[in-house]
Amino acid sequence: EAIRRGCRNWQWCAWMRWTIQRAPASSASQPCYSSIVIRNDNSQNADFPRNYSKREKKPFPIPVLELRRRARQRMKEAEGKPRGPPPPPKNGLLVQRLIPEAYRVYNARISLINNLKRLMKVVPVKGCKYCGEIHVGSVGHPFRTCRGMSSDKRKGEHDWGSTFVEAVFLPVEAYHLEDRLGPRIPHDQRFEVPRIPALVELCIQAGLDLPEYPTKRRRKPIVKIGRKEFVDANEDDLPDPEPDKFKEPILEEVSDDEITPPSSPEETAALAEETLKMWETLRNGALRLMKRYSVRVCGYCPEVHIGASGHKARNCGAFKHQQRNGQHGWQAAVLDDLIPPRYVWHMPESGELQKELKIFYGQAPAVVEICIQGGAQVPEKYKATMRLDIGIPSSLKEAEMVV
């Protein structure tokens, strides 16, 4: 058997098999040894998120071969069965159980922005003047990773300065659709349709009502007259709509002039814990909404569209956009496309970063790093990339001895 499987040390394998066969059966008088396996959902150390090149297309969240296999499986299961009506939100109606989630996500976004503005008064955040990199700390990091204007003259060194909350919590925008089942936005109307934060547009399509951004709400499912054609059902026989029972109070964003910093370290720590909670509420709630409401992203640029099909505006300026006539390559979006985490270097306990010890330092999302430096506890899910259990050498000579 060992020779058939190609085992090189076939004599040792044969001896082990003969020994196992001759071993006596276990009885109640003989001790039974069992191994204990400690399992953890979060890995001890993890690699940093990959930075894709501008010349490289984003990978599909689900491989194309897997999508084709699922499509064949669905066709096989639906063979010989009548096609049922499409479920919401494909039939024009809202998913009722996700309407409160839309309000929670919107309020969590407003609370996160307001809390970040307050935290950034006491936790310094630096930004490079020539590129989009940021660093949480009183002094910028020493790594020469700048790729901005005149970076070759500065040998890749950053020119640090003050920054705003928009650099920490990136404002991803999308077109606002008055009818999410309506026709796609053509190229000629790209300036006529307003652009709002993509997360707000997702909440509006999920049931959030904002007077400044009206949208069409249907009370009956649509009537399909073709593969891609439909008409709205007659709603004249329905009574007047009742007040929305899911409607909740909506928070407002505080202006920069009205922001007051925390007055004590205890208040700063409590504010940091609340901000971290809002960050997790925002991401978890947005992920639940994305599972029912389609979100598309361009595979070549960061453009995001909330809807089943992307718009037709030819404003993609990514690599080789001339060959596509500026058209976007739409594909399914992931959570990081809608809410970019914006990873930054984690400050060690020594309080400084050394250029020679770069491989020993970890990273964390900018919002999480600000909250940690403000006094919040480190979440378990971010410890893998922060590399908290890695000992940092005290000198370059000690670092060279590490295998």
Side-chain angles (χ1 to χ4, degrees), residues 129-164:
K129 299 178 181 179
Y130 297 98
C131 68
E133 191 162 350
I134 61 175
H135 179 72
V136 182
S138 57
V139 181
H141 64 72
F143 309 132
R144 299 177 181 268
T145 55
C146 183
R147 296 296 181 268
M149 184 179 60
S150 303
S151 59
D152 52 344
K153 297 180 181 179
R154 293 177 281 108
K155 298 182 180 180
E157 188 175 356
H158 294 278
D159 188 1
W160 299 106
S162 59
T163 186
F164 303 97

Side-chain angles (χ1 to χ4, degrees), residues 65-304:
L65 296 179
E66 178 65 18
L67 292 176
R68 293 176 180 174
R69 189 196 64 80
R70 294 182 183 181
R72 291 193 298 266
Q73 183 69 20
R74 287 195 300 268
M75 293 178 60
K76 185 177 180 181
E77 294 177 355
E79 187 176 358
K81 298 180 181 179
R83 180 176 295 182
K90 294 181 179 181
N91 60 357
L93 303 180
L94 296 176
V95 183
Q96 296 296 320
R97 62 181 178 83
L98 291 181
I99 297 179
E101 192 69 36
Y103 280 90
R104 282 195 293 269
V105 170
Y106 181 81
N107 288 334
R109 176 183 175 272
I110 299 298
S111 300
L112 178 64
I113 294 176
N114 294 337
N115 293 349
L116 283 176
K117 290 181 179 179
R118 296 187 60 191
L119 276 177
M120 291 177 65
K121 295 286 186 180
V122 294
V123 179
V125 180
K126 300 296 181 180
C128 182
K129 299 178 181 179
Y130 297 98
C131 68
E133 191 162 350
I134 61 175
H135 179 72
V136 182
S138 57
V139 181
H141 64 72
F143 309 132
R144 299 177 181 268
T145 55
C146 183
R147 296 296 181 268
M149 184 179 60
S150 303
S151 59
D152 52 344
K153 297 180 181 179
R154 293 177 281 108
K155 298 182 180 180
E157 188 175 356
H158 294 278
D159 188 1
W160 299 106
S162 59
T163 186
F164 303 97
V165 68
E166 289 79 10
V168 177
F169 186 66
L170 295 179
V172 180
E173 292 187 347
Y175 286 108
H176 170 58
L177 305 179
E178 294 186 0
D179 185 5
R180 58 186 175 86
L181 298 183
R184 300 170 65 183
I185 301 174
H187 178 71
D188 299 336
Q189 299 180 7
R190 64 189 185 279
F191 297 120
E192 301 176 6
V193 182
R195 290 181 65 87
I196 62 176
L199 198 58
V200 177
E201 175 64 18
L202 178 61
C203 294
I204 291 176
Q205 294 191 16
L208 174 67
D209 290 329
L210 294 179
E212 58 269 25
Y213 301 116
T215 185
K216 187 175 183 178
R217 303 293 188 197
R218 294 178 174 85
R219 302 169 62 190
K220 280 187 176 182
I222 59 175
V223 179
K224 283 212 166 191
I225 58 177
R227 185 167 178 262
K228 294 185 178 181
E229 298 179 357
F230 67 91
V231 293
D232 293 335
N234 188 10
E235 300 180 357
D236 296 339
D237 56 337
L238 296 179
D240 295 337
E242 299 179 356
D244 192 0
K245 61 180 180 180
F246 299 105
K247 194 170 184 179
E248 298 180 4
I250 297 177
L251 303 180
E252 295 183 359
E253 187 175 340
V254 182
S255 61
D256 297 339
D257 300 334
E258 301 177 358
I259 294 295
T260 57
S263 57
S264 61
E266 292 78 12
E267 185 180 355
T268 303
L271 181 62
E273 290 286 354
E274 181 184 358
T275 306
L276 198 57
K277 182 180 178 180
M278 291 297 104
W279 170 257
E280 295 298 331
T281 302
L282 179 69
R283 289 183 63 88
N284 296 335
L287 185 60
R288 282 190 286 268
L289 295 180
M290 291 176 65
K291 290 181 179 179
R292 297 302 301 269
Y293 294 88
S294 301
V295 180
R296 314 293 287 179
V297 66
C298 179
Y300 303 94
C301 71
E303 179 73 11
V304 173

